[in-house]
PDB file of all heavy atoms in Angstrom:
ATOM      1  N   MET A   1       6.950  -9.080   0.539  1.00  0.00           N
ATOM      2  CA  MET A   1       6.626  -9.298  -0.867  1.00  0.00           C
ATOM      3  C   MET A   1       7.290 -10.583  -1.354  1.00  0.00           C
ATOM      4  O   MET A   1       8.472 -10.801  -1.074  1.00  0.00           O
ATOM      5  CB  MET A   1       7.147  -8.147  -1.742  1.00  0.00           C
ATOM      6  CG  MET A   1       6.547  -6.801  -1.513  1.00  0.00           C
ATOM      7  SD  MET A   1       7.293  -5.601  -2.688  1.00  0.00           S
ATOM      8  CE  MET A   1       6.517  -4.075  -2.125  1.00  0.00           C
ATOM      9  N   PRO A   2       6.570 -11.418  -2.106  1.00  0.00           N
ATOM     10  CA  PRO A   2       7.232 -12.535  -2.789  1.00  0.00           C
ATOM     11  C   PRO A   2       7.963 -11.998  -4.028  1.00  0.00           C
ATOM     12  O   PRO A   2       7.330 -11.449  -4.932  1.00  0.00           O
ATOM     13  CB  PRO A   2       6.067 -13.459  -3.182  1.00  0.00           C
ATOM     14  CG  PRO A   2       4.868 -12.927  -2.460  1.00  0.00           C
ATOM     15  CD  PRO A   2       5.117 -11.477  -2.243  1.00  0.00           C
ATOM     16  N   LEU A   3       9.291 -12.125  -4.049  1.00  0.00           N
ATOM     17  CA  LEU A   3      10.098 -11.550  -5.122  1.00  0.00           C
ATOM     18  C   LEU A   3      10.954 -12.617  -5.785  1.00  0.00           C
ATOM     19  O   LEU A   3      11.328 -13.616  -5.169  1.00  0.00           O
ATOM     20  CB  LEU A   3      11.006 -10.442  -4.580  1.00  0.00           C
ATOM     21  CG  LEU A   3      10.345  -9.253  -3.877  1.00  0.00           C
ATOM     22  CD1 LEU A   3      11.406  -8.287  -3.377  1.00  0.00           C
ATOM     23  CD2 LEU A   3       9.374  -8.537  -4.808  1.00  0.00           C
ATOM     24  N   ALA A   4      11.272 -12.373  -7.059  1.00  0.00           N
ATOM     25  CA  ALA A   4      12.191 -13.236  -7.809  1.00  0.00           C
ATOM     26  C   ALA A   4      12.991 -12.350  -8.744  1.00  0.00           C
ATOM     27  O   ALA A   4      12.552 -11.261  -9.122  1.00  0.00           O
ATOM     28  CB  ALA A   4      11.428 -14.299  -8.592  1.00  0.00           C
ATOM     29  N   GLU A   5      14.170 -12.824  -9.140  1.00  0.00           N
ATOM     30  CA  GLU A   5      15.039 -12.014 -10.007  1.00  0.00           C
ATOM     31  C   GLU A   5      15.708 -12.881 -11.054  1.00  0.00           C
ATOM     32  O   GLU A   5      16.106 -14.012 -10.786  1.00  0.00           O
ATOM     33  CB  GLU A   5      16.105 -11.297  -9.182  1.00  0.00           C
ATOM     34  CG  GLU A   5      17.062 -10.457 -10.043  1.00  0.00           C
ATOM     35  CD  GLU A   5      18.082  -9.685  -9.232  1.00  0.00           C
ATOM     36  OE1 GLU A   5      17.972  -9.687  -7.985  1.00  0.00           O
ATOM     37  OE2 GLU A   5      18.981  -9.074  -9.845  1.00  0.00           O
ATOM     38  N   ARG A   6      15.843 -12.313 -12.259  1.00  0.00           N
ATOM     39  CA  ARG A   6      16.606 -12.915 -13.348  1.00  0.00           C
ATOM     40  C   ARG A   6      17.349 -11.802 -14.085  1.00  0.00           C
ATOM     41  O   ARG A   6      17.024 -10.622 -13.948  1.00  0.00           O
ATOM     42  CB  ARG A   6      15.695 -13.629 -14.355  1.00  0.00           C
ATOM     43  CG  ARG A   6      14.993 -14.881 -13.866  1.00  0.00           C
ATOM     44  CD  ARG A   6      14.223 -15.494 -15.015  1.00  0.00           C
ATOM     45  NE  ARG A   6      13.415 -16.648 -14.621  1.00  0.00           N
ATOM     46  CZ  ARG A   6      12.636 -17.334 -15.464  1.00  0.00           C
ATOM     47  NH1 ARG A   6      12.570 -16.956 -16.746  1.00  0.00           N
ATOM     48  NH2 ARG A   6      11.939 -18.360 -15.042  1.00  0.00           N
ATOM     49  N   GLY A   7      18.312 -12.204 -14.904  1.00  0.00           N
ATOM     50  CA  GLY A   7      18.918 -11.280 -15.847  1.00  0.00           C
ATOM     51  C   GLY A   7      18.151 -11.344 -17.158  1.00  0.00           C
ATOM     52  O   GLY A   7      17.704 -12.413 -17.575  1.00  0.00           O
ATOM     53  N   THR A   8      17.981 -10.198 -17.804  1.00  0.00           N
ATOM     54  CA  THR A   8      17.207 -10.125 -19.044  1.00  0.00           C
ATOM     55  C   THR A   8      17.947  -9.272 -20.069  1.00  0.00           C
ATOM     56  O   THR A   8      18.474  -8.213 -19.726  1.00  0.00           O
ATOM     57  CB  THR A   8      15.811  -9.514 -18.777  1.00  0.00           C
ATOM     58  OG1 THR A   8      15.108 -10.340 -17.840  1.00  0.00           O
ATOM     59  CG2 THR A   8      14.997  -9.419 -20.067  1.00  0.00           C
ATOM     60  N   ARG A   9      17.980  -9.732 -21.302  1.00  0.00           N
ATOM     61  CA  ARG A   9      18.612  -8.956 -22.370  1.00  0.00           C
ATOM     62  C   ARG A   9      17.544  -8.217 -23.166  1.00  0.00           C
ATOM     63  O   ARG A   9      16.567  -8.808 -23.627  1.00  0.00           O
ATOM     64  CB  ARG A   9      19.416  -9.868 -23.301  1.00  0.00           C
ATOM     65  CG  ARG A   9      20.201  -9.090 -24.361  1.00  0.00           C
ATOM     66  CD  ARG A   9      21.042 -10.019 -25.229  1.00  0.00           C
ATOM     67  NE  ARG A   9      22.039 -10.743 -24.448  1.00  0.00           N
ATOM     68  CZ  ARG A   9      23.194 -10.225 -24.060  1.00  0.00           C
ATOM     69  NH1 ARG A   9      23.496  -8.972 -24.373  1.00  0.00           N
ATOM     70  NH2 ARG A   9      24.048 -10.947 -23.360  1.00  0.00           N
ATOM     71  N   LEU A  10      17.732  -6.912 -23.314  1.00  0.00           N
ATOM     72  CA  LEU A  10      16.835  -6.092 -24.118  1.00  0.00           C
ATOM     73  C   LEU A  10      17.511  -5.821 -25.454  1.00  0.00           C
ATOM     74  O   LEU A  10      18.605  -5.242 -25.487  1.00  0.00           O
ATOM     75  CB  LEU A  10      16.526  -4.772 -23.406  1.00  0.00           C
ATOM     76  CG  LEU A  10      15.859  -4.873 -22.029  1.00  0.00           C
ATOM     77  CD1 LEU A  10      15.603  -3.484 -21.472  1.00  0.00           C
ATOM     78  CD2 LEU A  10      14.549  -5.652 -22.116  1.00  0.00           C
ATOM     79  N   GLY A  11      16.877  -6.248 -26.546  1.00  0.00           N
ATOM     80  CA  GLY A  11      17.487  -6.077 -27.849  1.00  0.00           C
ATOM     81  C   GLY A  11      18.740  -6.926 -27.966  1.00  0.00           C
ATOM     82  O   GLY A  11      18.788  -8.069 -27.544  1.00  0.00           O
ATOM     83  N   GLN A  12      19.805  -6.335 -28.518  1.00  0.00           N
ATOM     84  CA  GLN A  12      21.048  -7.067 -28.723  1.00  0.00           C
ATOM     85  C   GLN A  12      22.132  -6.719 -27.711  1.00  0.00           C
ATOM     86  O   GLN A  12      23.041  -7.520 -27.477  1.00  0.00           O
ATOM     87  CB  GLN A  12      21.576  -6.775 -30.139  1.00  0.00           C
ATOM     88  CG  GLN A  12      20.646  -7.221 -31.246  1.00  0.00           C
ATOM     89  CD  GLN A  12      20.459  -8.733 -31.263  1.00  0.00           C
ATOM     90  OE1 GLN A  12      21.393  -9.494 -31.028  1.00  0.00           O
ATOM     91  NE2 GLN A  12      19.230  -9.163 -31.542  1.00  0.00           N
ATOM     92  N   ASP A  13      22.046  -5.530 -27.111  1.00  0.00           N
ATOM     93  CA  ASP A  13      23.200  -5.033 -26.359  1.00  0.00           C
ATOM     94  C   ASP A  13      22.947  -4.755 -24.882  1.00  0.00           C
ATOM     95  O   ASP A  13      23.899  -4.639 -24.124  1.00  0.00           O
ATOM     96  CB  ASP A  13      23.718  -3.730 -26.998  1.00  0.00           C
ATOM     97  CG  ASP A  13      24.068  -3.930 -28.464  1.00  0.00           C
ATOM     98  OD1 ASP A  13      24.666  -4.957 -28.777  1.00  0.00           O
ATOM     99  OD2 ASP A  13      23.735  -3.049 -29.270  1.00  0.00           O
ATOM    100  N   VAL A  14      21.699  -4.594 -24.466  1.00  0.00           N
ATOM    101  CA  VAL A  14      21.429  -4.097 -23.113  1.00  0.00           C
ATOM    102  C   VAL A  14      21.057  -5.253 -22.185  1.00  0.00           C
ATOM    103  O   VAL A  14      20.043  -5.937 -22.401  1.00  0.00           O
ATOM    104  CB  VAL A  14      20.293  -3.052 -23.126  1.00  0.00           C
ATOM    105  CG1 VAL A  14      20.085  -2.487 -21.725  1.00  0.00           C
ATOM    106  CG2 VAL A  14      20.630  -1.924 -24.098  1.00  0.00           C
ATOM    107  N   TRP A  15      21.864  -5.467 -21.161  1.00  0.00           N
ATOM    108  CA  TRP A  15      21.606  -6.502 -20.162  1.00  0.00           C
ATOM    109  C   TRP A  15      21.120  -5.814 -18.890  1.00  0.00           C
ATOM    110  O   TRP A  15      21.764  -4.901 -18.375  1.00  0.00           O
ATOM    111  CB  TRP A  15      22.881  -7.298 -19.887  1.00  0.00           C
ATOM    112  CG  TRP A  15      22.672  -8.433 -18.933  1.00  0.00           C
ATOM    113  CD1 TRP A  15      22.985  -8.449 -17.610  1.00  0.00           C
ATOM    114  CD2 TRP A  15      22.096  -9.707 -19.222  1.00  0.00           C
ATOM    115  NE1 TRP A  15      22.632  -9.655 -17.059  1.00  0.00           N
ATOM    116  CE2 TRP A  15      22.090 -10.453 -18.027  1.00  0.00           C
ATOM    117  CE3 TRP A  15      21.577 -10.295 -20.376  1.00  0.00           C
ATOM    118  CZ2 TRP A  15      21.595 -11.752 -17.944  1.00  0.00           C
ATOM    119  CZ3 TRP A  15      21.088 -11.579 -20.299  1.00  0.00           C
ATOM    120  CH2 TRP A  15      21.099 -12.296 -19.106  1.00  0.00           C
ATOM    121  N   VAL A  16      19.958  -6.216 -18.389  1.00  0.00           N
ATOM    122  CA  VAL A  16      19.354  -5.562 -17.236  1.00  0.00           C
ATOM    123  C   VAL A  16      18.931  -6.601 -16.206  1.00  0.00           C
ATOM    124  O   VAL A  16      18.869  -7.799 -16.479  1.00  0.00           O
ATOM    125  CB  VAL A  16      18.113  -4.724 -17.647  1.00  0.00           C
ATOM    126  CG1 VAL A  16      18.498  -3.625 -18.618  1.00  0.00           C
ATOM    127  CG2 VAL A  16      17.022  -5.617 -18.238  1.00  0.00           C
ATOM    128  N   ARG A  17      18.628  -6.113 -15.014  1.00  0.00           N
ATOM    129  CA  ARG A  17      18.032  -6.958 -13.987  1.00  0.00           C
ATOM    130  C   ARG A  17      16.514  -6.892 -14.132  1.00  0.00           C
ATOM    131  O   ARG A  17      15.965  -5.804 -14.314  1.00  0.00           O
ATOM    132  CB  ARG A  17      18.421  -6.465 -12.591  1.00  0.00           C
ATOM    133  CG  ARG A  17      19.886  -6.468 -12.310  1.00  0.00           C
ATOM    134  CD  ARG A  17      20.201  -5.766 -11.012  1.00  0.00           C
ATOM    135  NE  ARG A  17      19.692  -6.502  -9.855  1.00  0.00           N
ATOM    136  CZ  ARG A  17      19.778  -6.056  -8.603  1.00  0.00           C
ATOM    137  NH1 ARG A  17      20.328  -4.864  -8.367  1.00  0.00           N
ATOM    138  NH2 ARG A  17      19.317  -6.780  -7.596  1.00  0.00           N
ATOM    139  N   GLU A  18      15.861  -8.030 -14.040  1.00  0.00           N
ATOM    140  CA  GLU A  18      14.404  -8.055 -14.012  1.00  0.00           C
ATOM    141  C   GLU A  18      13.974  -8.635 -12.675  1.00  0.00           C
ATOM    142  O   GLU A  18      14.329  -9.757 -12.318  1.00  0.00           O
ATOM    143  CB  GLU A  18      13.822  -8.892 -15.147  1.00  0.00           C
ATOM    144  CG  GLU A  18      12.296  -8.903 -15.122  1.00  0.00           C
ATOM    145  CD  GLU A  18      11.665  -9.558 -16.343  1.00  0.00           C
ATOM    146  OE1 GLU A  18      12.429 -10.061 -17.198  1.00  0.00           O
ATOM    147  OE2 GLU A  18      10.424  -9.572 -16.430  1.00  0.00           O
ATOM    148  N   ILE A  19      13.224  -7.838 -11.919  1.00  0.00           N
ATOM    149  CA  ILE A  19      12.737  -8.251 -10.604  1.00  0.00           C
ATOM    150  C   ILE A  19      11.217  -8.265 -10.653  1.00  0.00           C
ATOM    151  O   ILE A  19      10.595  -7.289 -11.079  1.00  0.00           O
ATOM    152  CB  ILE A  19      13.235  -7.294  -9.514  1.00  0.00           C
ATOM    153  CG1 ILE A  19      14.763  -7.286  -9.494  1.00  0.00           C
ATOM    154  CG2 ILE A  19      12.695  -7.696  -8.149  1.00  0.00           C
ATOM    155  CD1 ILE A  19      15.360  -6.247  -8.583  1.00  0.00           C
ATOM    156  N   ARG A  20      10.637  -9.378 -10.235  1.00  0.00           N
ATOM    157  CA  ARG A  20       9.174  -9.504 -10.275  1.00  0.00           C
ATOM    158  C   ARG A  20       8.599  -9.696  -8.879  1.00  0.00           C
ATOM    159  O   ARG A  20       9.197 -10.359  -8.030  1.00  0.00           O
ATOM    160  CB  ARG A  20       8.760 -10.680 -11.153  1.00  0.00           C
ATOM    161  CG  ARG A  20       9.049 -10.468 -12.626  1.00  0.00           C
ATOM    162  CD  ARG A  20       8.344 -11.505 -13.470  1.00  0.00           C
ATOM    163  NE  ARG A  20       8.713 -11.416 -14.875  1.00  0.00           N
ATOM    164  CZ  ARG A  20       8.175 -12.155 -15.831  1.00  0.00           C
ATOM    165  NH1 ARG A  20       7.235 -13.055 -15.527  1.00  0.00           N
ATOM    166  NH2 ARG A  20       8.560 -12.023 -17.084  1.00  0.00           N
ATOM    167  N   LYS A  21       7.427  -9.109  -8.700  1.00  0.00           N
ATOM    168  CA  LYS A  21       6.651  -9.308  -7.480  1.00  0.00           C
ATOM    169  C   LYS A  21       5.431 -10.162  -7.817  1.00  0.00           C
ATOM    170  O   LYS A  21       4.748  -9.911  -8.807  1.00  0.00           O
ATOM    171  CB  LYS A  21       6.195  -7.960  -6.911  1.00  0.00           C
ATOM    172  CG  LYS A  21       5.200  -8.088  -5.761  1.00  0.00           C
ATOM    173  CD  LYS A  21       4.560  -6.755  -5.432  1.00  0.00           C
ATOM    174  CE  LYS A  21       3.434  -6.939  -4.418  1.00  0.00           C
ATOM    175  NZ  LYS A  21       2.721  -5.660  -4.150  1.00  0.00           N
ATOM    176  N   LEU A  22       5.172 -11.170  -7.001  1.00  0.00           N
ATOM    177  CA  LEU A  22       4.001 -12.022  -7.178  1.00  0.00           C
ATOM    178  C   LEU A  22       2.886 -11.482  -6.297  1.00  0.00           C
ATOM    179  O   LEU A  22       3.011 -11.428  -5.069  1.00  0.00           O
ATOM    180  CB  LEU A  22       4.333 -13.468  -6.799  1.00  0.00           C
ATOM    181  CG  LEU A  22       3.213 -14.502  -6.960  1.00  0.00           C
ATOM    182  CD1 LEU A  22       2.842 -14.659  -8.425  1.00  0.00           C
ATOM    183  CD2 LEU A  22       3.639 -15.840  -6.368  1.00  0.00           C
ATOM    184  N   THR A  23       1.768 -11.051  -6.913  1.00  0.00           N
ATOM    185  CA  THR A  23       0.668 -10.474  -6.149  1.00  0.00           C
ATOM    186  C   THR A  23      -0.238 -11.565  -5.586  1.00  0.00           C
ATOM    187  O   THR A  23      -0.124 -12.740  -5.939  1.00  0.00           O
ATOM    188  CB  THR A  23      -0.171  -9.532  -7.023  1.00  0.00           C
ATOM    189  OG1 THR A  23      -0.838 -10.310  -8.045  1.00  0.00           O
ATOM    190  CG2 THR A  23       0.713  -8.484  -7.700  1.00  0.00           C
ATOM    191  N   ASP A  24      -1.155 -11.157  -4.712  1.00  0.00           N
ATOM    192  CA  ASP A  24      -2.078 -12.114  -4.103  1.00  0.00           C
ATOM    193  C   ASP A  24      -2.979 -12.775  -5.133  1.00  0.00           C
ATOM    194  O   ASP A  24      -3.461 -13.895  -4.923  1.00  0.00           O
ATOM    195  CB  ASP A  24      -2.942 -11.403  -3.046  1.00  0.00           C
ATOM    196  CG  ASP A  24      -2.116 -10.925  -1.864  1.00  0.00           C
ATOM    197  OD1 ASP A  24      -1.021 -11.494  -1.657  1.00  0.00           O
ATOM    198  OD2 ASP A  24      -2.547  -9.989  -1.167  1.00  0.00           O
ATOM    199  N   THR A  25      -3.222 -12.103  -6.255  1.00  0.00           N
ATOM    200  CA  THR A  25      -4.086 -12.665  -7.294  1.00  0.00           C
ATOM    201  C   THR A  25      -3.332 -13.564  -8.262  1.00  0.00           C
ATOM    202  O   THR A  25      -3.917 -14.110  -9.192  1.00  0.00           O
ATOM    203  CB  THR A  25      -4.757 -11.533  -8.090  1.00  0.00           C
ATOM    204  OG1 THR A  25      -3.742 -10.739  -8.728  1.00  0.00           O
ATOM    205  CG2 THR A  25      -5.592 -10.640  -7.170  1.00  0.00           C
ATOM    206  N   GLY A  26      -2.012 -13.706  -8.066  1.00  0.00           N
ATOM    207  CA  GLY A  26      -1.211 -14.518  -8.976  1.00  0.00           C
ATOM    208  C   GLY A  26      -0.590 -13.730 -10.106  1.00  0.00           C
ATOM    209  O   GLY A  26       0.190 -14.277 -10.891  1.00  0.00           O
ATOM    210  N   HIS A  27      -0.916 -12.434 -10.189  1.00  0.00           N
ATOM    211  CA  HIS A  27      -0.353 -11.586 -11.241  1.00  0.00           C
ATOM    212  C   HIS A  27       1.097 -11.249 -10.907  1.00  0.00           C
ATOM    213  O   HIS A  27       1.455 -11.109  -9.738  1.00  0.00           O
ATOM    214  CB  HIS A  27      -1.173 -10.302 -11.354  1.00  0.00           C
ATOM    215  CG  HIS A  27      -0.721  -9.399 -12.449  1.00  0.00           C
ATOM    216  ND1 HIS A  27      -0.733  -9.753 -13.772  1.00  0.00           N
ATOM    217  CD2 HIS A  27      -0.240  -8.130 -12.415  1.00  0.00           C
ATOM    218  CE1 HIS A  27      -0.297  -8.755 -14.505  1.00  0.00           C
ATOM    219  NE2 HIS A  27       0.023  -7.758 -13.700  1.00  0.00           N
ATOM    220  N   GLN A  28       1.948 -11.133 -11.918  1.00  0.00           N
ATOM    221  CA  GLN A  28       3.357 -10.810 -11.716  1.00  0.00           C
ATOM    222  C   GLN A  28       3.658  -9.408 -12.223  1.00  0.00           C
ATOM    223  O   GLN A  28       3.375  -9.089 -13.380  1.00  0.00           O
ATOM    224  CB  GLN A  28       4.241 -11.842 -12.416  1.00  0.00           C
ATOM    225  CG  GLN A  28       4.092 -13.240 -11.840  1.00  0.00           C
ATOM    226  CD  GLN A  28       5.020 -14.250 -12.481  1.00  0.00           C
ATOM    227  OE1 GLN A  28       5.955 -13.899 -13.206  1.00  0.00           O
ATOM    228  NE2 GLN A  28       4.761 -15.534 -12.216  1.00  0.00           N
ATOM    229  N   VAL A  29       4.199  -8.571 -11.343  1.00  0.00           N
ATOM    230  CA  VAL A  29       4.583  -7.198 -11.675  1.00  0.00           C
ATOM    231  C   VAL A  29       6.094  -7.167 -11.851  1.00  0.00           C
ATOM    232  O   VAL A  29       6.836  -7.621 -10.980  1.00  0.00           O
ATOM    233  CB  VAL A  29       4.153  -6.222 -10.570  1.00  0.00           C
ATOM    234  CG1 VAL A  29       4.569  -4.795 -10.935  1.00  0.00           C
ATOM    235  CG2 VAL A  29       2.651  -6.291 -10.349  1.00  0.00           C
ATOM    236  N   SER A  30       6.548  -6.619 -12.983  1.00  0.00           N
ATOM    237  CA  SER A  30       7.966  -6.682 -13.326  1.00  0.00           C
ATOM    238  C   SER A  30       8.597  -5.293 -13.334  1.00  0.00           C
ATOM    239  O   SER A  30       8.013  -4.333 -13.834  1.00  0.00           O
ATOM    240  CB  SER A  30       8.149  -7.328 -14.716  1.00  0.00           C
ATOM    241  OG  SER A  30       9.493  -7.270 -15.116  1.00  0.00           O
ATOM    242  N   ILE A  31       9.806  -5.210 -12.756  1.00  0.00           N
ATOM    243  CA  ILE A  31      10.612  -3.995 -12.779  1.00  0.00           C
ATOM    244  C   ILE A  31      11.928  -4.309 -13.490  1.00  0.00           C
ATOM    245  O   ILE A  31      12.568  -5.329 -13.209  1.00  0.00           O
ATOM    246  CB  ILE A  31      10.915  -3.501 -11.348  1.00  0.00           C
ATOM    247  CG1 ILE A  31       9.636  -3.053 -10.651  1.00  0.00           C
ATOM    248  CG2 ILE A  31      11.932  -2.367 -11.365  1.00  0.00           C
ATOM    249  CD1 ILE A  31       9.058  -1.764 -11.169  1.00  0.00           C
ATOM    250  N   LEU A  32      12.332  -3.453 -14.417  1.00  0.00           N
ATOM    251  CA  LEU A  32      13.623  -3.575 -15.081  1.00  0.00           C
ATOM    252  C   LEU A  32      14.560  -2.504 -14.523  1.00  0.00           C
ATOM    253  O   LEU A  32      14.157  -1.356 -14.353  1.00  0.00           O
ATOM    254  CB  LEU A  32      13.484  -3.395 -16.594  1.00  0.00           C
ATOM    255  CG  LEU A  32      12.579  -4.385 -17.324  1.00  0.00           C
ATOM    256  CD1 LEU A  32      12.521  -4.041 -18.806  1.00  0.00           C
ATOM    257  CD2 LEU A  32      13.065  -5.817 -17.128  1.00  0.00           C
ATOM    258  N   SER A  33      15.804  -2.875 -14.249  1.00  0.00           N
ATOM    259  CA  SER A  33      16.738  -1.919 -13.667  1.00  0.00           C
ATOM    260  C   SER A  33      18.153  -2.188 -14.174  1.00  0.00           C
ATOM    261  O   SER A  33      18.541  -3.339 -14.378  1.00  0.00           O
ATOM    262  CB  SER A  33      16.714  -2.019 -12.134  1.00  0.00           C
ATOM    263  OG  SER A  33      17.687  -1.158 -11.558  1.00  0.00           O
ATOM    264  N   THR A  34      18.920  -1.098 -14.370  1.00  0.00           N
ATOM    265  CA  THR A  34      20.336  -1.225 -14.701  1.00  0.00           C
ATOM    266  C   THR A  34      21.206  -0.983 -13.475  1.00  0.00           C
ATOM    267  O   THR A  34      22.415  -0.823 -13.595  1.00  0.00           O
ATOM    268  CB  THR A  34      20.728  -0.233 -15.811  1.00  0.00           C
ATOM    269  OG1 THR A  34      20.410   1.108 -15.387  1.00  0.00           O
ATOM    270  CG2 THR A  34      20.004  -0.536 -17.105  1.00  0.00           C
TER     271      THR A  34
END
């Protein structure tokens, strides 16, 4: 899988990991995780 990761802030207080998969069609699927 082509994957990428960044840190993402939800609202004011919650910091999470955001991991995205790049599909064959160019669409990006995102997962948020603590």
